[in-house]
Amino acid sequence: MNETRHGASWSMAASATLHCLTGCAIGEVLGMVIGTALGLHNAGTIVLSIALAFVFGYALTMRGVLKSGLAFGAALKVALAADTVSIAVMEIVDNGVMVVVPGAMDAGLGSLLFWGALAFSLAVAFVLTVPVNKWMIGRGLGHAKVHAHHAH
């Protein structure tokens, strides 16, 4: 059973990471658009993007968990347990890549450099977050908490 569990955890990890990537990407793009529209400096835009990435990541998880019949407070606890580490890793990597790509943060929303760097940073974040989610799922943590509620 251990081999099946570990074999399945790679696909579960990829699925959990893709789920995380969706929430992070929505938050990142929305944060960049709002930050640019408000004329925020890069640091303010990054903070806003990270905050929105967590909000949307948690919201996507809660949507599914609430459908299983869990109360709001319990669903929030599951979302926090399932997504916090994954989103944090993804945001550190994603924003780190955006900051080190020359000119990406100053390129503006109409620039191919900005969107290319953002797509690249999210892809790198996905690749580096899958093993983190695999490790967590293998220990009954992270998205394993969500899957436990889908089974009931």
Side-chain angles (χ1 to χ4, degrees):
M1 179 161 182
N2 245 355
E3 289 178 38
T4 305
R5 181 176 175 189
H6 290 294
S9 64
W10 277 112
S11 72
M12 285 177 68
S15 176
T17 307
L18 184 59
H19 170 89
C20 178
L21 177 69
T22 302
C24 287
I26 293 168
E28 286 286 327
V29 171
L30 190 56
M32 294 291 175
V33 169
I34 293 170
T36 299
L38 295 176
L40 299 178
H41 289 100
N42 288 345
T45 300
I46 289 171
V47 168
L48 178 60
S49 293
I50 291 170
L52 290 174
F54 274 94
V55 167
F56 281 94
Y58 291 144
L60 289 176
T61 296
M62 286 186 62
R63 189 184 90 201
V65 175
L66 286 168
K67 285 182 182 178
S68 75
L70 220 53
F72 184 85
L76 179 59
K77 287 179 184 176
V78 170
L80 292 172
D83 291 334
T84 300
V85 172
S86 181
I87 295 171
V89 170
M90 188 160 285
E91 286 303 302
I92 289 167
V93 173
D94 167 44
N95 286 287
V97 170
M98 284 298 289
V99 168
V100 300
V101 171
M105 287 300 297
D106 295 320
L109 298 175
S111 167
L112 185 59
L113 172 61
F114 171 80
W115 292 106
L118 183 59
F120 175 70
S121 70
L122 290 169
V124 171
F126 176 84
V127 168
L128 295 178
T129 306
V130 169
V132 172
N133 282 327
K134 181 190 181 302
W135 182 85
M136 291 178 62
I137 290 168
R139 283 152 187 75
L141 304 170
H143 265 259
K145 302 287 185 187
V146 173
H147 292 287
H149 290 284
H150 286 276
H152 288 90

